[in-house]
Amino acid sequence: MQPTKVTIPVPSKDPKKKEEEKPEQDAKAATAKKIKDEEKEGEDLSEEDLQLKNELEMLIERLREPNTELYRPALETLRTLIRTSTSSMTSVPKPLKFLHPHYPGLQSLYETWPPSEDKSLFADILSVLAMTYSDTQPRGTLRYRLLSASLRPAAAPLSEPGSWGHEYVRHLAAELGEEYSLREFDEEGVEKESEENKVPGTVDDLRKLALECATFLLQHNAEPDAVDLLEELEIVDQIVDLVDENTYERVCQYMIRCVNLLPPPDDISFLKTAHSIYAKHNKFPQALSLSIRLGDPALIRRDFNAPANPAMKKQLAFLLARAQVPKEWLETPAEDGMDDGESELPEDLVECLSNTQLSSHFKAFGKELNVEEPKSLEDVYKSHLENTRPTTTVDSAKANLAGTFVNAFVNAGFGNDKLMAKAEEGNSWVYKNKDHGMLSATASLGLSLLWDTDEGLSQVDKYTYSSEEYIKAGALLATGILNTGVRTEADAALALLGEYVENKSVPLKTSAIVGLGLAYAGSQREDIMSLLLPYVSDDSLSMEIASLTSLALGFIFVGSGNGEIASTILQTLMEREDKQLDEKWARYMVLGLALLYLGLQDASDATIATLKAIEHQISQLAVVLVDMCSFAGTGNVLKVQELLHYCDEHIEKAPKDKKDEKDATPEEPPKDDTFQAFAVIGIALVAMGEEVGAEMSLRQFNHLMHYGEPIIRKAVPLALGLVSASNPQLPIMDTLSKYSHDSDLQVALNAIFAMGLIGAGTNNARLAQMLRQLAGYYYKEPDCLFMVRIAQGLVHMGKGTLTINPFWNDRTIMSRTAVAGLLATLTAFTEAKGFILDKSHWFLYFLVPSMSPRFLITLNEDLENIPVSVRVGQAVDVVGQAGKPRTISGFQTHSTPVRLGTTERAELATEEYIPFAHVLEGFVILQKNPGWEKEDKMEIR
């Protein structure tokens, strides 16, 4: 029976009755409430409040009287009452509360007054009262403030907005932002007036008022509000003149933290403004670190030459050396270039800039940490802990090849491993490998002797005379590897490798070219460009040579936007036959082009437009690569969305839809989906520069893994490895552990490698345990086992003293050479079967440019080691917090030299020394604090 009840049409009549009664009820209720409220208010008010209320009402009456002489005293009394009323933080000031009901009446009264100074004062008071009406009459405060200012004579300007108190200024700041955005829509930016309330004044008036508000906010510890206000009015560059020595540090820190969250070109303008502030206050290391982020040669030169103190100059030189800034940038541009410059820079500065002491300091650091002794393969594998049945120890080529890499990665930089560097005569590990295995084995010597140019070249030398072509090629690659990141005056790498570039033999030629690319990564040397560029454009050469040359040039000119190289590579992509562009090598040619634009944001637009015109499907891959490199590390949300769009295309393969790669029937070539793999890596590349973005990207990767095509699933582990390189976070470790048992072996293989990437150089015990279990799990799968071994080598890289994380200087600066190295390595894994598991396993050495020591070494002004106690703990973000909160948590006190984890930060434990650098990382020069000893003596007495 219930449904019939529902259909009865009674409800439709009922409301009508109610509605008819409602107005009467409402009116009664309202009047009753009003009377009640007034009685209540009268009862609640204390005598003082009643007196104040009556006084205010009397003053308002005075303003309504015809006698104009009473206006000024009445207004001034009102102003004094409002300003002097102190109230608690949570309640509205009493005068504003009592004047609130009179506001509409006062507004109409204001309109009747003729222009005068009294009217200006009246407007000023209305501006304060308007705060209580901000819901119904938006931007009233600002409107009356500007009206009041316009009525004043030029000689007697209006009082500071700050004289009305903090809340008024914040109110004004909020309304200024709103008003400015409404004005924006007009072409001139001046003429357009807002709809409801006509707010007088031009954009310049608004900006002038904003600067007054910002000055007040800066004086009252509200630096973020001041920056935000000026950013809204697009005059953030003017903050340089407003800050003083007490506020500039907090302003700059806030601005630098905002950079990742701003759209271009605002992010660059923020960096430039913060740079100007630091430069103005003579904070040279901070200014230089921002110039490095901007990648502007002129700024870097100016900052480097600014300080007169030689110790400060050395400190800046260490910063530049770590950033791999070309030495030529520091010389004043002369006609004949380098020869002029050499004489200008003193010897000790050139030494700091060239990183020549890196090797000796690194070895001393290893000695301090007791990791000097070489590690054998068994020390890393700990195969007695693997739960596998013991197998007979046959030297399989694959196992030996893995051993080559593990030995090289683990003992990198120490130059004393037992297999290669310190092997007995005739017992060298090289001969335990076959053919191209020998190339990797010989090249591993370069990694073991990393940065040690003198010792290294003499050790590698003997292999260059070998009759075996592969050994000779490996020796050339070793020469390139050991010179990575170190610049010598002898230019040994160019002298030794230059002649082999023209060699007819392919292994020798490619090794020499790639060796040059590694040795001079980031140096932007014109002479090497003229040597290598012809090999990109020469059509008669194989795609392999042309592509690797393009990659080497990408390494050397990373982030330079060099037009000559870009146009040559574009030309080649247009002229090569389709069959050649279908080869697996083509992706390296495109990567070389993309690296030129690393971190340059919009500078790559023209190139992307040209790439779209290429008819071959490689153009899609090229567009994705160039685009993602341009925005590497910026955290740009729109780019991440764009890259996600590439991933949601479901590409129908030609009839053989099972095939992953490009072999289908000749009639209809299959659509190439490699670009999707790079789009996934691109998401990680763009997001990794900013913590929140990196965390959010993990969820996207999870979705892509669930719903993506095979090519996308293959790339997800690589992206996870990139987003958290050398930073083993538990959730990522567990995710990769899950993927490493995936039914698709390609995914599992990449996941295992990614486990090596996230743990690179951390000695993480949990990862080591996971990898040992995987070694047992995959003991019958030679490819996967090979990868497990490589990952084990990476986790113990440099015996825990190295990192491959591209961010340094408290994770604020992205090293472009490091990103280039990581990308080149990941590119090989987008088709592991074609590169790493085939004959190109030596591509693993592309990781070398991203390897750097994770130490803090303190030096005195003569660059000698001095032990100092420092606290090392997890870095805490304290930007915008009040007072001086602790910047590290859970610290331990150590004596330098000390090892720093990826997310750790160090600070000096005592004030005995003053550091020249603002971030304690890498090489830090200390100066004795002159006030320290006196305090000590006082205590003894």
Side-chain angles (χ1 to χ4, degrees):
M1 293 301 287
Q2 272 176 335
T4 52
K5 274 184 191 173
V6 174
T7 53
I8 291 171
V10 174
S12 66
K13 282 185 182 176
D14 250 14
K16 274 188 187 173
K17 262 189 179 176
K18 276 185 186 166
E19 274 171 22
E20 286 158 18
E21 293 164 16
K22 220 177 189 174
E24 294 169 31
Q25 284 177 351
D26 276 5
K28 281 179 191 170
T31 49
K33 190 169 185 283
K34 203 171 182 185
I35 295 162
K36 216 176 191 178
D37 277 2
E38 277 175 11
E39 282 171 15
K40 197 175 175 191
E41 203 172 276
E43 286 165 24
D44 284 359
L45 290 179
S46 63
E47 276 185 36
E48 283 175 31
D49 291 355
L50 261 175
Q51 189 186 340
L52 176 64
K53 187 170 187 238
N54 296 335
E55 191 178 346
L56 289 169
E57 283 171 359
M58 182 196 74
L59 290 168
I60 289 167
E61 283 309 310
R62 286 233 181 114
L63 295 178
R64 293 206 169 102
E65 288 173 16
N67 184 355
T68 50
E69 284 173 15
L70 294 173
Y71 293 172
R72 174 51 75 93
L75 289 168
E76 282 182 349
T77 317
L78 262 177
R79 180 169 66 180
T80 317
L81 283 171
I82 293 173
R83 281 190 184 171
T84 52
S85 70
T86 49
S87 65
S88 70
M89 287 291 286
T90 48
S91 64
V92 181
K94 291 275 169 27
L96 292 188
K97 186 174 161 190
F98 298 144
L99 289 169
H100 178 75
H102 299 288
Y103 179 65
L106 288 171
Q107 275 183 302
S108 38
L109 179 64
Y110 169 81
E111 298 303 335
T112 61
W113 283 22
S116 63
E117 279 198 40
D118 291 351
K119 187 167 182 175
S120 164
L121 183 53
F122 194 4
D124 204 8
I125 290 168
L126 281 176
S127 163
V128 181
L129 294 182
M131 288 201 292
T132 58
Y133 266 85
S134 55
D135 304 340
T136 50
Q137 299 185 11
R139 296 187 301 293
T141 306
L142 175 63
R143 176 171 170 247
Y144 283 114
R145 172 84 198 175
L146 291 168
L147 283 170
S148 173
S150 64
L151 293 166
R152 303 287 295 189
L158 204 56
S159 61
E160 293 280 307
S163 59
W164 288 110
H166 205 283
E167 194 51 46
Y168 176 73
V169 175
R170 288 183 55 180
H171 216 90
L172 211 49
E175 295 189 357
L176 274 166
E178 277 174 46
E179 175 62 27
Y180 187 78
S181 58
L182 285 170
R183 299 269 177 117
E184 289 248 276
F185 301 119
D186 196 4
E187 307 265 316
E188 290 82 37
V190 184
E191 303 311 315
K192 189 167 189 272
E193 293 188 335
S194 45
E195 305 77 55
E196 316 104 46
N197 285 342
K198 296 273 189 288
V199 175
T202 61
V203 172
D204 291 339
D205 293 339
L206 294 179
R207 287 181 167 162
K208 190 164 153 250
L209 183 55
L211 288 170
E212 285 179 22
C213 292
T215 311
F216 175 82
L217 291 166
L218 285 171
Q219 287 161 354
H220 294 79
N221 299 330
E223 293 89 354
D225 296 349
V227 174
D228 294 346
L229 171 61
L230 296 182
E231 155 65 5
E232 277 187 281
L233 274 79
E234 296 180 357
I235 46 171
V236 82
D237 50 340
Q238 295 190 28
I239 201 167
V240 180
D241 307 320
L242 303 181
V243 293
D244 56 18
E245 64 276 5
N246 301 320
T247 52
Y248 78 89
E249 186 60 57
R250 289 168 64 88
V251 167
C252 288
Q253 282 180 340
Y254 178 71
M255 289 181 75
I256 292 165
R257 283 302 294 233
C258 286
V259 169
N260 287 327
L261 310 170
L262 290 168
D266 288 353
D267 50 358
I268 301 296
S269 72
F270 259 48
L271 280 177
K272 285 186 172 159
T273 308
H275 174 269
S276 312
I277 296 174
Y278 276 139
K280 186 178 169 186
H281 289 273
N282 291 342
K283 291 290 173 197
F284 304 116
Q286 287 96 317
L288 185 68
S289 62
L290 292 180
S291 313
I292 292 169
R293 271 182 82 168
L294 288 162
D296 180 338
L299 274 184
I300 290 177
R301 187 182 321 119
R302 197 180 329 142
D303 289 338
F304 180 67
N305 293 325
N309 183 340
M312 177 56 94
K313 271 209 125 117
K314 287 177 197 164
Q315 182 64 68
L316 297 185
F318 280 131
L319 268 178
L320 292 172
R322 174 71 178 84
Q324 298 284 296
V325 167
K327 208 160 54 181
E328 293 72 38
W329 283 9
L330 303 176
E331 289 137 16
T332 38
E335 295 309 306
D336 49 358
M338 276 212 55
D339 310 326
D340 239 34
E342 281 301 329
S343 54
E344 282 180 31
L345 290 173
E347 187 86 2
D348 52 353
L349 268 187
V350 172
E351 202 168 87
C352 299
L353 279 170
S354 316
N355 257 341
T356 36
Q357 294 301 312
L358 185 60
S359 177
S360 54
H361 279 299
F362 180 68
K363 285 176 182 165
F365 170 59
K367 199 171 186 176
E368 279 284 332
L369 296 187
N370 284 335
V371 291
E372 203 185 10
E373 287 304 303
K375 273 194 170 188
S376 67
L377 298 180
E378 190 44 46
D379 293 339
V380 178
Y381 297 162
K382 297 198 168 86
S383 41
H384 59 281
L385 298 174
E386 289 170 16
N387 47 2
T388 48
R389 282 163 236 102
T391 47
T392 50
T393 51
V394 180
D395 274 2
S396 83
K398 201 93 180 166
N400 280 356
L401 186 59
T404 299
F405 287 109
V406 172
N407 175 58
F409 282 131
V410 172
N411 297 304
F414 287 98
N416 59 1
D417 68 290
K418 295 201 178 85
L419 298 188
M420 290 292 305
K422 295 281 183 270
E424 293 124 41
E425 269 313 308
N427 197 14
S428 175
W429 184 257
V430 175
Y431 302 105
K432 293 197 175 173
N433 290 282
K434 294 205 286 281
D435 302 342
H436 46 84
M438 288 179 162
L439 193 159
S440 281
T442 318
S444 74
L445 185 58
L447 190 47
S448 174
L449 297 158
L450 190 60
W451 307 314
D452 189 350
T453 44
D454 307 338
E455 168 77 0
L457 292 172
S458 58
Q459 285 236 26
V460 172
D461 191 49
K462 57 177 184 256
Y463 291 105
T464 54
Y465 303 114
S466 168
S467 53
E468 183 67 59
E469 191 178 45
Y470 283 110
I471 295 181
K472 206 167 178 178
L476 297 179
L477 191 55
T479 307
I481 290 171
L482 66 88
N483 277 294
T484 304
V486 180
R487 311 262 180 267
T488 53
E489 282 187 34
D491 247 356
L494 182 56
L496 294 167
L497 302 178
E499 57 191 278
Y500 286 100
V501 172
E502 293 147 26
N503 204 298
K504 291 279 179 287
S505 141
V506 173
L508 290 177
K509 198 184 192 82
T510 51
S511 295
I513 289 170
V514 172
L516 281 172
L518 293 173
Y520 292 100
S523 68
Q524 303 190 15
R525 291 271 297 267
E526 299 284 336
D527 49 344
I528 302 178
M529 176 173 85
S530 46
L531 173 71
L532 296 182
L533 210 47
Y535 296 96
V536 178
S537 48
D538 188 345
D539 280 358
S540 60
L541 293 172
S542 71
M543 205 54 194
E544 177 183 359
I545 293 170
S547 299
L548 287 175
T549 310
S550 161
L551 179 68
L553 285 167
F555 269 2
I556 297 167
F557 286 86
V558 64
S560 67
N562 186 300
E564 197 178 333
I565 300 175
S567 55
T568 309
I569 297 176
L570 283 169
Q571 196 66 29
T572 309
L573 287 171
M574 288 175 181
E575 289 171 2
R576 289 265 175 171
E577 294 166 18
D578 284 5
K579 195 158 137 277
Q580 290 177 312
L581 291 177
D582 282 340
E583 287 183 38
K584 62 183 182 186
W585 296 101
R587 65 192 70 189
Y588 273 111
M589 179 172 282
V590 177
L591 179 64
L593 174 63
L595 291 178
L596 295 175
Y597 293 103
L598 192 69
L600 294 188
Q601 301 200 7
D602 299 330
S604 59
D605 289 355
T607 306
I608 290 176
T610 318
L611 285 168
K612 286 179 178 163
I614 297 176
E615 277 146 32
H616 188 268
Q617 12 191 9
I618 196 163
S619 73
Q620 178 83 62
L621 167 65
V623 167
V624 172
L625 256 169
V626 174
D627 209 12
M628 73 191 215
C629 282
S630 309
F631 286 87
T634 55
N636 188 309
V637 185
L638 299 174
K639 273 289 162 261
V640 174
Q641 287 176 344
E642 210 174 295
L643 291 162
L644 278 167
H645 275 300
Y646 288 123
C647 300
D648 66 12
E649 283 181 49
H650 286 283
I651 291 165
E652 289 299 319
K653 289 281 188 182
K656 285 186 189 172
D657 50 270
K658 268 288 179 224
K659 279 286 181 202
D660 223 14
E661 293 308 325
K662 313 148 219 169
D663 29 57
T665 44
E667 302 91 50
E668 172 58 41
K671 182 139 170 44
D672 179 22
D673 56 6
T674 323
F675 74 89
Q676 291 189 314
F678 283 100
V680 177
I681 294 172
I683 295 169
L685 183 65
V686 174
M688 70 180 175
E690 190 249 327
E691 280 171 31
V692 180
E695 215 167 292
M696 282 159 61
S697 67
L698 301 181
R699 194 153 142 244
Q700 303 302 341
F701 294 141
N702 204 356
H703 292 324
L704 290 172
M705 199 66 182
H706 276 285
Y707 310 114
E709 304 285 310
I711 184 95
I712 291 176
R713 296 188 70 237
K714 228 163 56 174
V716 168
L718 300 176
L720 286 169
L722 177 61
V723 119
S724 187
S726 283
N727 183 15
Q729 302 168 28
L730 275 175
I732 298 184
M733 257 159 50
D734 293 342
T735 310
L736 286 174
S737 175
K738 187 172 77 191
Y739 296 161
S740 64
H741 297 81
D742 198 274
S743 54
D744 179 350
L745 277 184
Q746 293 272 303
V747 175
L749 198 84
N750 286 355
I752 296 168
F753 177 67
M755 286 165 87
L757 283 183
I758 65 165
T762 59
N763 281 348
N764 188 293
R766 183 169 177 160
L767 264 175
Q769 171 65 17
M770 284 177 179
L771 290 167
R772 278 198 294 277
Q773 285 170 345
L774 282 169
Y777 182 78
Y778 283 122
Y779 77 105
K780 283 187 174 161
E781 281 284 346
D783 283 351
C784 290
L785 185 59
F786 171 72
M787 210 28 77
V788 171
R789 296 302 184 212
I790 300 282
Q792 284 177 311
L794 286 173
V795 169
H796 297 285
M797 180 194 283
K799 295 174 251 191
T801 56
L802 295 172
T803 177
I804 57 167
N805 193 299
F807 290 92
W808 58 283
N809 197 35
D810 217 358
R811 301 206 305 288
T812 55
I813 305 178
M814 179 180 80
S815 159
R816 289 176 176 176
T817 44
V819 175
L822 284 166
L823 276 179
T825 317
L826 293 179
T827 303
F829 279 89
T830 52
E831 198 180 319
K833 284 241 182 317
F835 292 112
I836 301 290
L837 301 174
D838 194 30
K839 297 190 169 111
S840 307
H841 34 75
W842 55 272
F843 280 14
L844 284 167
Y845 293 127
F846 284 147
L847 274 178
V848 175
S850 46
M851 287 160 60
S852 56
R854 47 166 88 217
F855 56 39
L856 161 60
I857 291 183
T858 44
L859 310 168
N860 63 14
E861 294 176 49
D862 301 327
L863 304 188
E864 293 154 357
N865 250 326
I866 42 172
V868 180
S869 54
V870 289
R871 301 193 191 104
V872 179
Q874 286 299 316
V876 182
D877 177 21
V878 293
V879 174
Q881 288 185 18
K884 289 191 174 172
R886 288 210 167 277
T887 52
I888 56 175
S889 72
F891 60 81
Q892 292 178 318
T893 308
H894 298 281
S895 176
T896 58
V898 63
R899 173 190 178 281
L900 294 177
T902 307
T903 56
E904 289 178 335
R905 189 182 282 164
E907 54 182 44
L908 293 178
T910 63
E911 292 180 10
E912 187 177 353
Y913 290 96
I914 301 170
F916 279 101
H918 64 301
V919 175
L920 299 189
E921 206 175 286
F923 294 109
V924 175
I925 301 174
L926 302 178
Q927 181 184 32
K928 199 90 165 130
N929 184 347
W932 173 254
E933 288 172 304
K934 292 170 197 163
E935 288 173 28
D936 246 15
K937 283 173 188 161
M938 279 161 61
E939 279 169 27
I940 293 165
R941 282 178 194 159

